[in-house]
Amino acid sequence: MSVEIPVGAHQPPGAGPAARIDGPDAGLIVRFDGPVPTHRPDRPLGAGSTDRTDEAGTGVDVLDSAGHLSCHGRTDPTMTRTATDDGARLRPVPAGAAPLFVRAGQAVYPARRLGDLVSRRPAGVTGHQWSSALRAEFDHVVCAADTGVPLFALTVGPTAPAGSAGQRTERMVSAVCAAVGLPVLRIGSPTLRAADHGRRIITYVIDARAYAAGAGGDDPDDNPVGYRDIVGRLPDGRTGAVNDLGALSRAAAVEAYVSRRLSDPIVRGLHVRWRDGTAEGWSWVEVRTGRCLVERVTVSEARWHCGVDPARLAEDLAAVAVGDRLPVGDRPAVAVTDESALLDRDELRRQICVLRDRRDELATPFAFDHLCGD
């Protein structure tokens, strides 16, 4: 349903006749886009849409005093869309719900089911997709602080195995979210969790998007510094990239090396972007000679922009995951003593070479050939 227009008001060409209505709803008509429903007087407005459709176009439906919907015309299907746009399908978070925090006019809420955010099934989504997707839960939902309308959602955790029921559910959720216009930022990692890292990731993305929105200039030759590349003073006093999420992990590796718990203080990494839109980042540190602690993270932003290169974000988050497993301070050195958690350096090199050999599947050139050498 869309905007209600008084009878007698100016109608667009081809909009069809405006019918007069008796009762408390007199003088109102309802305009909608898409296939024109066949008149079903036995179906009240609140019972759902009609089952059969006529030719595609924009109709003018009359809402009578009994709540019945009847079609009175058809317009050019290329006409401007009305309030049935996908954005109208997003349901605002209730006004009484308390956000975890508010940043830059955006309120961040804890876990929400997709069914709490979408008001009705969008066109093109099957009933099976709809019923399966509604039960899916996001770790965080970011909404406009003034209206409560969802802006994007975040999930953090292990990636579902290929061909699994979990992967099928993710695809259904993606189909519904794409149809209603809800961007979802998916962080795939066996180590990272929203409870520990969700706030930091969301804060980073909100700031990065705000910076990117204001960084563009009128000069086409102007090449502003990206958010990730801003240089400043780091917590340890050094100068470096202040928006490197892995900076603390790199400092932790140096600390662990000084205390003789690592054989190499350098956290290394690589990143790629696949043609399907997924970004992947690897990060590793040599714990003992020839034995490495490796983390891999994927980032999927699905036709949305998180404010920085998602591949570099994936690599930085992989460094964060490495830092979570380093023996720093009172943290137990499980990753250092558990051989099953480590990867042989030669095997790591072989896996990097396999990644390099898949360059035809990449959206951007592979820039880490040097890691395949001895």
Side-chain angles (χ1 to χ4, degrees):
M1 189 190 305
S2 65
V3 181
E4 297 180 338
I5 309 172
V7 171
H10 174 69
Q11 304 293 326
R20 188 169 302 281
I21 308 170
D22 297 323
D25 299 307
L28 297 180
I29 64 176
V30 181
R31 186 175 307 281
F32 67 94
D33 276 341
V36 178
T38 303
H39 175 42
R40 291 282 302 277
D42 60 312
R43 294 286 297 276
L45 181 64
S49 59
T50 56
D51 294 331
R52 296 184 294 124
T53 58
D54 201 341
E55 299 176 11
T58 301
V60 179
D61 272 21
V62 174
L63 181 68
D64 64 20
S65 58
H68 294 133
L69 198 64
S70 56
C71 183
H72 283 263
R74 182 181 300 112
T75 65
D76 184 351
T78 63
M79 285 178 57
T80 303
R81 291 173 64 86
T82 59
T84 54
D85 286 347
D86 289 340
R89 294 191 177 98
L90 292 176
R91 177 184 298 154
V93 171
L100 296 175
F101 65 96
V102 177
R103 189 176 186 89
Q106 298 174 54
V108 182
Y109 293 90
R112 287 284 193 282
R113 292 187 311 112
L114 178 57
D116 297 330
L117 306 175
V118 181
S119 58
R120 64 187 187 278
R121 183 174 60 154
V125 174
T126 68
H128 178 60
Q129 288 175 323
W130 179 244
S131 60
S132 299
L134 289 184
R135 297 188 294 270
E137 188 174 80
F138 302 118
D139 292 313
H140 292 292
V141 176
V142 180
C143 303
D146 54 348
T147 65
V149 174
L151 301 176
F152 70 93
L154 171 73
T155 64
V156 184
T159 302
S164 66
Q167 187 186 59
R168 291 192 293 272
T169 298
E170 286 182 359
R171 288 175 177 171
M172 293 177 186
V173 171
S174 296
V176 173
C177 290
V180 302
L182 176 63
V184 180
L185 180 61
R186 297 185 181 275
I187 309 295
S189 168
T191 301
L192 302 178
R193 295 294 183 272
D196 301 318
H197 303 285
R199 179 172 184 141
R200 186 180 179 194
I201 292 172
I202 287 178
T203 298
Y204 185 89
V205 168
I206 289 176
D207 291 349
R209 284 175 55 82
Y211 178 86
D218 296 331
D219 185 355
D221 296 327
D222 186 21
N223 186 23
V225 176
Y227 182 76
R228 169 62 175 78
D229 298 316
I230 297 174
V231 175
R233 188 178 181 85
L234 299 176
D236 61 3
R238 296 180 297 113
T239 298
V242 295
N243 294 318
D244 171 13
L245 285 173
L248 294 179
S249 297
R250 303 181 207 286
V254 173
E255 179 184 336
Y257 174 76
V258 171
S259 62
R260 300 182 182 275
R261 299 197 226 181
L262 293 182
S263 64
D264 189 340
I266 301 176
V267 177
R268 294 173 168 82
L270 62 81
H271 57 267
V272 296
R273 293 190 69 176
W274 301 99
R275 289 190 181 277
D276 67 358
T278 303
E280 185 173 346
W282 297 13
S283 186
W284 63 91
V285 64
E286 193 162 325
V287 174
R288 287 190 294 280
T289 302
R291 303 290 289 173
C292 301
L293 174 62
V294 183
E295 285 284 343
R296 297 175 176 87
V297 170
T298 59
V299 172
S300 174
E301 51 183 3
R303 299 176 298 279
W304 188 67
H305 183 46
C306 60
V308 295
D309 179 356
R312 293 184 69 188
L313 175 60
E315 181 181 341
D316 287 348
L317 288 173
V320 171
V322 166
D324 281 0
R325 300 174 64 189
L326 289 179
V328 179
D330 297 332
R331 186 185 302 164
V334 175
V336 178
T337 58
D338 183 4
E339 282 294 323
S340 65
L342 303 179
L343 187 66
D344 186 79
R345 183 172 56 193
D346 292 337
E347 173 59 19
L348 175 60
R349 184 183 296 113
R350 187 194 68 80
Q351 293 182 11
I352 295 173
C353 292
V354 170
L355 194 65
R356 175 201 61 189
D357 294 342
R358 297 176 62 190
R359 64 173 77 241
D360 290 344
E361 302 174 45
L362 300 178
T364 55
F366 185 77
F368 302 94
D369 293 277
H370 61 282
L371 295 177
C372 295
D374 294 332

